[in-house]
């Protein structure tokens, strides 16, 4: 935890003069998404508050916000922890993703569509794969889906899915083979992009629907195995 707090102190400048619980929660959300605080980590009020230079009340409000987003959990007499997802959580996350992402593509209207940010996310993933940086590829994959949702032009939808994608990263951090998890979907991201560039949102929706179903199956398979291994403990 000492090394984590030292790095977190570098985020102190992000708070500026208008330190608020929302800004603190933004920093912690990003750190959790990056795997800086892995699932199951206990978050120290004193340590984090000192590293960021914020009051205990501000930090507790930030913890409350992130608990509401299902990223943290408060355990009585033990403290606040980064949440460890269950398989049921993962399935529910993908249910929400399918409902929202497919609806966004279905409702795009007539082409052409503003796809520059989506194309940049695909290029980001291809660059990461070329460098065998599989964790960065996972981040690029999240960026692809975030930009896909952004095509709806809805701040409320973006806000909703920001929390969903942050929660999804909790499941990704449990997986010990990010290449196997993320690499197969790089070409499919490119295919969805090209289909939208061709103006065929209906075909893109079908591709996305199959994509999410296949991704759910793969994540649950890997997640069940990893969680089962952890539960079994050393032999």
């Amino acid at each position: 935890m000492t090394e984590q707090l030292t790095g977190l102190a570098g985020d102190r400048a992000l708070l500026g003069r208008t330190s608020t619980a929302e800004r603190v929660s933004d920093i912690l959300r990003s750190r959790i998404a990056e795997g800086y605080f892995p699932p199951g980590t206990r978050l120290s009020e004193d340590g984090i508050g000192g590293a960021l230079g914020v009051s205990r009340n501000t930090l507790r409000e930030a913890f409350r916000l992130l608990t509401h987003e299902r990223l943290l959990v408060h355990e009585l007499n033990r403290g606040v922890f980064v949440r460890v997802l269950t398989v049921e959580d993962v399935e529910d996350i993908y249910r929400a993703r399918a409902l929202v992402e497919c609806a966004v593509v279905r409702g795009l209207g007539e082409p052409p569509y503003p796809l520059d940010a989506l194309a940049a996310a695909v290029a980001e993933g291809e660059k990461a794969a070329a460098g065998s940086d599989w964790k960065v590829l996972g981040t690029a994959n999240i960026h692809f889906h975030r930009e896909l949702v952004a095509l709806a032009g809805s701040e409320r939808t973006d806000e909703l899915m920001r929390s969903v994608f942050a929660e999804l990263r909790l499941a990704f951090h449990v997986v010990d083979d990010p290449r196997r998890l993320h690499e197969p979907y790089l070409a499919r991201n490119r295919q969805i992009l090209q289909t939208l560039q061709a103006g065929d949102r209906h075909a893109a929706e079908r591709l996305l629907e199959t994509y999410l179903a296949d991704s759910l199956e793969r994540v649950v398979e890997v997640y069940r195995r990893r969680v089962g291994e952890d539960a079994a403990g050393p032999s």
Side-chain angles (χ1 to χ4, degrees):
M1 178 63 78
T2 301
E3 182 180 349
Q4 293 167 324
L5 295 177
T6 300
L8 192 62
D11 290 328
R12 192 167 180 169
L14 299 176
L15 297 175
R17 295 184 177 179
T18 56
S19 176
T20 64
E22 286 80 7
R23 287 178 181 268
V24 173
S25 67
D26 285 344
I27 289 171
L28 293 179
R29 185 188 301 105
S30 295
R31 289 297 192 170
I32 291 168
E34 293 164 3
Y36 197 76
F37 296 115
T41 300
R42 182 181 180 276
L43 301 184
S44 164
E45 283 189 5
D46 291 339
I48 292 175
L52 291 176
V54 298
S55 70
R56 186 182 297 269
N57 286 339
T58 295
L59 187 60
R60 285 179 176 175
E61 175 63 14
F63 283 173
R64 188 191 67 79
L65 291 171
L66 294 177
T67 299
H68 181 70
E69 293 180 21
R70 305 172 69 86
L71 296 180
L72 302 180
V73 60
H74 180 268
E75 297 185 12
L76 189 62
N77 298 323
R78 294 193 65 218
V80 175
F81 294 79
V82 179
R83 194 155 168 258
V84 178
L85 300 184
T86 65
V87 171
E88 290 74 20
D89 289 325
V90 174
E91 292 171 338
D92 196 39
I93 288 168
Y94 270 85
R95 190 175 301 116
R97 291 186 67 191
L99 285 170
V100 174
E101 293 186 48
C102 290
V104 168
V105 174
R106 188 184 318 123
L108 282 177
E110 296 303 314
Y113 309 122
L115 301 173
D116 287 351
L118 197 67
V122 172
E124 177 189 358
E126 291 171 343
K127 180 179 178 180
S132 299
D133 197 335
W134 308 116
K135 288 188 176 180
V136 171
L137 175 58
T139 297
N141 193 38
I142 292 290
H143 290 169
F144 174 83
H145 290 277
R146 185 184 66 196
E147 296 301 340
L148 190 69
V149 169
L151 292 174
S154 166
E155 291 184 4
R156 289 172 177 80
T157 304
D158 291 343
E159 181 77 13
L160 168 68
M161 294 306 291
R162 181 185 68 171
S163 296
V164 171
F165 290 138
E167 196 177 357
L168 178 63
R169 293 296 293 269
L170 294 180
F172 288 172
H173 292 316
V174 172
V175 176
D176 57 2
D177 188 356
R179 178 177 184 175
R180 181 172 181 268
L181 183 65
H182 301 301
E183 188 179 29
Y185 299 95
L186 184 57
R188 296 171 80 162
N189 288 348
R190 170 66 70 180
Q191 185 181 19
I192 290 172
L193 171 64
Q194 291 173 337
T195 303
L196 289 173
Q197 288 171 330
D200 193 344
R201 71 180 189 276
H202 300 297
E205 183 189 359
R206 290 193 294 271
L207 288 172
L208 179 61
E209 186 177 20
T210 302
Y211 175 123
L212 290 175
D214 291 347
S215 180
L216 171 60
E217 183 177 356
R218 179 178 292 268
V219 172
V220 167
E221 172 196 351
V222 176
Y223 198 77
R224 283 186 190 277
R225 182 174 66 249
R226 179 62 186 273
V227 172
E229 290 171 353
D230 291 346
S235 57

